């Protein structure tokens, strides 16, 4: 896949490389979907004008996230995903202050999430999902200054309680599914939020669903496989839900009629303590 990388030719014509049309300096390196064994070379840090760096779907790419990436002060887009990169999520990423997109998903990263990532003020999205990350969600993730990123931390081994501070953030999307999180998560919602999508499924979360006030903007809500109790609030009939799942919890009472709640089949509601009404069996 790098056969065009001939030193006799202008590197701006190489496959996977883009250059600034005025300065002719390399501003983008995107290598994806190929058989490229080895580690990320330290020399990647010697491309000072790089704004986009992407290593994607390279299953033979191993080793740590290269420390020399810290030198790339102009970097806006960093994606290292679907590789066999291992080691920790490095603290130095917080120094890349121009980042608008950070994707380290589908790797073998381990250890805890560095709290310093909340210093990234221009981030639209933060993907750390599908790794082997452990420990708690950093309290600092409730203190993003400037832009509040969409937060994807699913399919890890994160544990403990969700920090209360996250309730101060208005996340457009938040996915904490398939971890070992416990306790309350009701503070992630609220009538003043503009949240579109929430996935907290397959954790050990325990709170009273009846008392949750949902944002009107919510279109996707997955809470399956937790320990939620109470009933489904009547106010949920006013939401335009496209995806909804509260199965495998401890909910009771009649499913409110209206909105989109009857447009989902029984699998949205089954395996609860005593939920009843359409699309489940009628209440006795």
């Amino acid at each position: 896949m790098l056969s065009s990388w001939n030193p006799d030719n202008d590197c701006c014509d190489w496959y996977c490389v883009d250059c600034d049309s005025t300065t002719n300096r390399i501003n983008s390196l995107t290598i994806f979907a190929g058989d490229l064994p080895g580690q990320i070379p330290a020399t990647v840090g010697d491309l000072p004008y790089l704004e986009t760096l992407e290593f994607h779907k390279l299953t033979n790419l191993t080793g740590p996230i290269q420390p020399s990436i810290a030198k790339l002060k102009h970097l806006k887009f960093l994606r290292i995903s679907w590789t066999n990169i291992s080691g920790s999520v490095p603290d130095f990423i917080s120094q890349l202050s121009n980042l608008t997109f950070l994707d380290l998903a589908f790797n073998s990263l381990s250890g805890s999430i560095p709290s310093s990532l909340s210093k990234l003020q221009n981030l639209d999205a933060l993907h750390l999902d599908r790794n082997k990350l452990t420990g708690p969600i950093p309290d600092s993730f409730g203190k993003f200054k400037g832009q509040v990123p969409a937060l994807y931390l699913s399919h890890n081994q994160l544990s403990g309680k969700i920090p209360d501070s996250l309730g101060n953030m208005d996340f457009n999307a938040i996915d904490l599914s398939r971890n070992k999180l416990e306790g309350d998560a009701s503070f992630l919602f609220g009538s003043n939020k503009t949240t579109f999508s929430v996935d907290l499924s397959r954790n050990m979360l325990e709170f009273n669903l009846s008392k949750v006030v949902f944002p009107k903007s919510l279109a996707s809500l997955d809470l399956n496989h937790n320990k939620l109790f109470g009933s489904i609030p009547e106010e949920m009939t006013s939401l335009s839900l496209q995806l909804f799942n509260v199965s495998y919890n401890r909910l009771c009472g009649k499913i409110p009629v209206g909105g989109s709640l009857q447009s989902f089949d029984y699998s949205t509601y089954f395996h609860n303590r005593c939920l009843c009404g359409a699309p489940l069996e009628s209440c006795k």
Side-chain angles (χ1 to χ4, degrees):
M1 62 187 300
L2 303 182
S3 58
S4 66
W5 288 31
N6 183 341
D8 296 333
N9 300 338
D10 182 351
C11 63
C12 293
D13 295 330
W14 293 358
Y15 182 61
C16 306
V17 175
D18 285 316
C19 294
D20 183 282
S21 56
T22 311
T23 63
N24 290 321
R25 301 301 295 256
I26 295 177
N27 61 10
S28 174
L29 178 62
T30 55
I31 301 176
F32 54 90
D35 180 20
L36 199 64
Q39 301 191 7
I40 299 172
T43 46
V44 78
D46 299 334
L47 299 171
Y49 297 92
L50 214 54
E51 295 181 9
T52 297
L53 178 61
E54 179 170 8
F55 299 101
H56 179 58
K57 289 197 173 176
L58 303 170
T59 51
N60 291 326
L61 191 66
T62 56
I65 294 176
Q66 174 54 243
S68 69
I69 290 173
K71 296 194 286 183
L72 303 174
K73 299 302 182 190
H74 295 284
L75 210 57
K76 294 178 181 174
F77 184 104
L78 175 59
R79 171 181 275 153
I80 303 173
S81 61
W82 296 74
T83 74
N84 262 311
I85 290 280
S86 57
S88 60
V89 177
D91 202 45
F92 69 71
I93 289 178
S94 64
Q95 299 165 27
L96 302 173
S97 58
N98 290 308
L99 275 186
T100 61
F101 186 86
L102 175 59
D103 182 1
L104 303 177
F106 288 89
N107 292 302
S108 296
L109 298 170
S110 57
S112 57
I113 299 172
S115 59
S116 59
L117 293 181
S118 64
K119 294 177 184 173
L120 295 168
Q121 296 190 18
N122 300 302
L123 214 51
D124 292 321
L126 172 57
H127 289 264
L128 300 176
D129 43 309
R130 294 183 187 261
N131 279 289
K132 299 171 182 174
L133 301 173
T134 53
I137 296 170
D139 182 66
S140 65
F141 278 20
K143 298 166 187 169
F144 280 99
K145 292 181 173 63
Q147 182 77 15
V148 179
L151 191 60
Y152 300 95
L153 305 179
S154 73
H155 294 76
N156 280 292
Q157 293 155 36
L158 301 173
S159 58
K161 295 187 172 181
I162 300 170
D164 291 344
S165 61
L166 267 66
N168 301 327
M169 298 286 99
D170 186 6
F171 294 102
N172 174 50
I174 182 165
D175 185 353
L176 309 178
S177 63
R178 291 179 186 261
N179 280 292
K180 298 172 181 175
L181 301 167
E182 55 192 47
D184 191 12
S186 59
F187 51 82
L188 295 175
F189 304 98
S191 57
N192 59 335
K193 305 270 178 95
T194 58
T195 308
F196 176 81
S197 173
V198 177
D199 190 347
L200 305 174
S201 62
R202 293 180 183 269
N203 279 289
M204 298 176 284
L205 298 167
E206 196 166 355
F207 57 92
N208 187 346
L209 191 66
S210 325
K211 297 187 174 175
V212 178
V213 179
F214 292 99
K216 291 276 185 275
S217 53
L218 198 62
S220 177
L221 178 64
D222 195 343
L223 302 171
N224 80 76
H225 286 82
N226 280 291
K227 300 176 182 177
L228 308 188
F229 56 93
S231 56
I232 296 173
E234 194 72 40
E235 291 75 26
M236 295 200 76
T237 58
S238 64
L239 301 178
S240 302
L241 290 169
Q242 296 159 20
L243 186 150
F244 182 50
N245 197 336
V246 290
S247 64
Y248 292 91
N249 278 291
R250 298 170 181 180
L251 300 172
C252 257
K254 187 176 191 297
I255 297 168
V257 176
S260 53
L261 294 184
Q262 276 65 46
S263 67
F264 303 103
D265 68 14
Y266 75 100
S267 64
T268 283
Y269 301 101
F270 70 169
H271 292 279
N272 272 287
R273 190 157 281 166
C274 45
L275 272 184
C276 60
L280 299 180
E281 290 182 15
S282 56
C283 300
K284 292 184 173 62

